[in-house]
């Protein structure tokens, strides 16, 4: 496996193997590259969770890391994405973790001779987020087949929704989407959140991505919460066994009521913890296949 840039490129066996490897790391499996491998974290777009959990994951595997600061780099002198990445290959990095605001940015990097781990491309894909979501679901339910998930929010601009919609269906889950009609994704199964909430195993909330809008929102934060947010009233209608997920960062009291963020059904911080183990599995996979 040279790159992990889009889960659509991976077979179900490869996806299940990555999840099982992540669970093994969580249960104490040790791999130690003894500081002989270097992972570069190249974030051309802001990140907290993905950046620092890839950094933690590489450290846990005994790799060294290089953390690129886009705002203080030769990007400011006009250096291209390709030339920046080629530099990190040239100085001896063994894997590149890349986040960029362009959909499919990695297609420009096909000539590189170093593995790429996609840490999020524009509105396209977020494979490490999907894998940590799937790991969290597998830990909770033990399987995927037959589970029902509703993904609620800004579907159109969400790389998390786009990654999860496909892979969850491939794994046998029933996937529904909901949220403001202006953020509906054509071709996706769209439902009224209030009509399905009682039947869902997983309620996955998405952040309203103000930075990807051009001031075109037709709602206040209060109105969004009232119509599409997880309120206490909606929480009380969820199945006893159902869980809440959110990729974060969270707009508290918008997508989810503040006091529900760490409620009994919430797996939001479990998702963040699992992100480290999933990213260990991803880094190990591309390094061992080199
Ligand atoms: N979930 C997620 O991708 O968070 P960051 O943008 O903080 O990495």
């Amino acid at each position: 496996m040279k790159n992990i840039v889009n889960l659509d490129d991976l077979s179900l066996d490869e996806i299940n193997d990555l999840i099982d490897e992540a669970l093994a790391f969580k249960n104490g499996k040790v791999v130690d590259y003894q500081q002989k491998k270097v992972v570069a974290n190249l974030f051309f777009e802001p990140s907290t969770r993905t950046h620092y959990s890839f950094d933690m994951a590489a450290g846990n595997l005994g790799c060294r890391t290089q953390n690129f600061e886009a705002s203080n780099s030769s990007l400011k002198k006009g250096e291209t994405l390709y030339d920046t990445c080629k530099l990190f290959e040239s100085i001896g990095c063994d894997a590149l973790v890349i986040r960029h605001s362009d959909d499919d940015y990695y297609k420009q990097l096909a000539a590189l001779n170093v593995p790429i781990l996609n840490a999020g491309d524009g509105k396209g894909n977020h494979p490490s987020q999907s894998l940590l979501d799937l790991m969290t679901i597998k830990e909770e339910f033990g399987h995927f087949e037959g589970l029902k998930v509703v993904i609620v929010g800004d579907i159109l601009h969400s790389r998390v929704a786009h990654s999860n919609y496909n892979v969850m269906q491939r794994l046998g889950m029933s996937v529904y989407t909901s949220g403001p009609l202006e953020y509906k994704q054509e071709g996706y199964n769209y439902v009224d959140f209030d009509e399905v909430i009682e039947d869902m195993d997983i309620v996955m909330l998405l952040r309203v991505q103000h930075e990807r809008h051009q001031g075109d929102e037709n709602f206040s934060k209060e109105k969004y919460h009232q119509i599409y947010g997880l309120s206490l009233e909606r929480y009380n209608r969820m199945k006893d066994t159902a869980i809440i997920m959110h990729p974060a960062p969270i707009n508290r009291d918008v997508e989810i009521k503040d006091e529900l963020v760490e409620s009994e059904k919430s797996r939001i911080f479990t998702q963040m913890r699992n992100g480290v183990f999933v990213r260990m599995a991803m880094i190990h996979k591309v390094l061992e296949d080199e």
Side-chain angles (χ1 to χ4, degrees):
M1 197 182 290
K2 185 189 169 206
N3 300 325
I4 304 177
V5 293
N6 184 338
L7 295 184
D8 291 350
D9 301 335
L10 272 59
S11 68
L12 288 183
D13 281 348
E14 287 171 323
I15 289 166
N16 278 309
D17 285 351
L18 283 166
I19 295 165
D20 289 344
E21 182 78 324
L23 288 164
F25 280 126
K26 190 168 183 177
N27 287 323
K29 175 173 174 166
V30 175
V31 170
D32 186 358
Y33 285 98
Q34 300 185 332
Q35 307 296 305
K36 290 176 185 152
K37 298 285 184 184
V38 184
V39 176
N41 292 312
L42 310 180
F43 283 75
F44 297 85
E45 192 188 69
S47 166
T48 306
R49 266 146 297 278
T50 313
H51 186 160
Y52 293 100
S53 63
F54 262 117
D55 195 55
M56 181 71 83
N60 289 352
L61 292 169
C63 297
R64 287 177 287 141
T65 56
Q66 297 228 307
N67 288 290
F68 169 68
E69 286 183 48
S71 61
N72 196 24
S73 74
S74 288
L75 282 181
K76 299 288 176 198
K77 303 173 196 165
E79 191 162 39
T80 64
L81 171 65
Y82 179 85
D83 286 344
T84 303
C85 294
K86 190 72 185 170
L87 157 77
F88 283 94
E89 176 194 317
S90 305
I91 64 174
C93 293
D94 298 287
L96 308 184
V97 173
I98 305 174
R99 170 173 290 188
H100 198 279
S101 55
D102 289 350
D103 293 11
D104 299 338
Y105 70 80
Y106 44 81
K107 291 183 178 166
Q108 306 168 42
L109 305 177
L112 293 181
N113 291 308
V114 61
I116 296 169
L117 296 167
N118 180 11
D121 62 294
K123 303 183 293 305
N125 278 275
H126 197 343
S128 67
Q129 180 69 47
S130 283
L131 288 168
L132 74 88
D133 292 343
L134 294 171
M135 175 185 175
T136 306
I137 291 167
K138 185 154 184 193
E139 263 189 328
E140 188 72 32
F141 298 99
H143 64 97
F144 300 111
E145 189 73 37
L147 292 175
K148 293 181 182 173
V149 56
V150 63
I151 308 175
V152 186
D154 182 359
I155 307 296
L156 188 62
H157 297 95
S158 171
R159 55 190 168 220
V160 178
H162 296 147
S163 280
N164 276 337
Y165 195 82
N166 287 349
V167 72
M168 286 178 172
Q169 291 195 103
R170 289 173 69 204
L171 288 162
M173 295 172 67
S174 298
V175 188
Y176 306 89
T177 60
S178 191
L181 283 175
E182 57 263 53
Y183 303 141
K184 180 178 169 183
Q185 178 76 48
E186 276 313 310
Y188 280 20
N189 187 4
Y190 184 86
V191 293
D192 182 329
F193 187 24
D194 276 317
E195 285 182 10
V196 300
I197 190 165
E198 287 152 15
D199 197 30
M200 293 295 113
D201 299 296
I202 300 142
V203 172
M204 180 174 286
L205 306 164
L206 300 178
R207 184 174 66 89
V208 179
Q209 300 191 52
H210 301 290
E211 73 278 17
R212 296 193 202 279
H213 304 157
Q214 278 88 44
D216 53 354
E217 301 102 319
N218 285 324
F219 40 77
S220 64
K221 291 176 180 178
E222 294 74 21
K223 194 80 182 164
Y224 184 96
H225 183 70
Q226 185 191 331
I227 305 175
Y228 311 108
L230 190 65
S231 59
L232 290 172
E233 187 273 328
R234 290 191 178 106
Y235 180 86
N236 288 330
R237 287 166 51 207
M238 289 173 65
K239 281 163 81 167
D240 287 347
T241 53
I243 61 170
I244 301 164
M245 301 178 76
H246 190 311
I250 299 160
N251 296 306
R252 287 177 183 253
D253 289 327
V254 183
E255 301 98 54
I256 180 169
K257 190 80 182 154
D258 180 28
E259 56 256 54
L260 295 179
V261 172
E262 295 183 61
S263 62
E264 194 187 329
K265 291 184 184 303
S266 172
R267 297 295 177 272
I268 296 170
F269 290 95
T270 307
Q271 288 173 267
M272 292 183 206
R273 176 163 153 71
N274 286 346
V276 175
F277 303 111
V278 151
R279 290 166 179 131
M280 289 172 74
M282 294 171 74
I283 294 168
H284 181 42
K285 184 69 197 160
V286 297
L287 291 182
E288 72 174 356
D289 286 354
E290 261 191 315

